[in-house]
Amino acid sequence: MTTRSDVADTVCPYRRTGQNPEPGVWRLRALTGREREVLLLLGTGLGNRELSRELGIAERTVKAHIANIVAKLGQQTRTQAAIISALAHNALCTDPSCSRHLGKVVGQWREPTLA
């Protein structure tokens, strides 16, 4: 049986499981502008119906965008794509007054740019 203290000393979960979401972040350039917009909203946790209302498009179109995003980012699920959205928020969000941009700490991990 594993005790709590043994778990604290284990290797990074990314290394242990072989699952690292960061490579998906580097594939953002493959997305269209609309797919980037959908991905950014996907990271907020909205469901397909709410996404379709927010974007003014059919729910079926949202599903198609999400399927394309998941494939282009090399992921398997929309949840994995949403995690990439959270990791790459600064690269996806173009709103200069976004509160997620205001609290950046110099010297920490930098998200890639889309250019």
Side-chain angles (χ1 to χ4, degrees):
M1 185 166 137
T2 304
T3 63
R4 177 66 88 188
S5 61
D6 292 339
V7 173
D9 295 332
T10 62
V11 297
C12 170
Y14 289 1
R15 281 188 41 209
R16 187 175 67 238
T17 64
Q19 300 296 318
N20 182 353
E22 286 184 355
V25 173
W26 303 110
R27 296 183 180 125
L28 291 174
R29 288 185 189 96
L31 301 179
T32 66
R34 188 58 153 182
E35 289 169 343
R36 289 181 197 137
E37 184 179 10
V38 171
L39 178 60
L40 187 59
L41 284 169
L42 184 63
T44 66
L46 294 176
N48 289 348
R49 182 171 292 148
E50 292 83 13
L51 288 169
S52 70
R53 282 190 205 127
E54 184 70 29
L55 295 165
I57 59 178
E59 194 171 338
R60 186 176 186 176
T61 306
V62 169
K63 290 178 183 180
H65 281 309
I66 292 173
N68 290 338
I69 291 165
V70 168
K72 286 180 179 181
L73 296 180
Q75 302 303 302
Q76 296 173 352
T77 67
R78 72 181 275 138
T79 301
Q80 290 171 325
I83 290 168
I84 289 174
S85 175
L87 288 171
H89 180 85
N90 289 341
L92 293 167
C93 182
T94 58
D95 180 0
S97 63
C98 174
S99 62
R100 295 267 322 258
H101 299 295
L102 300 176
K104 288 177 31 176
V105 177
V106 177
Q108 288 193 354
W109 179 74
R110 290 185 143 160
E111 296 175 14
T113 60
L114 294 176

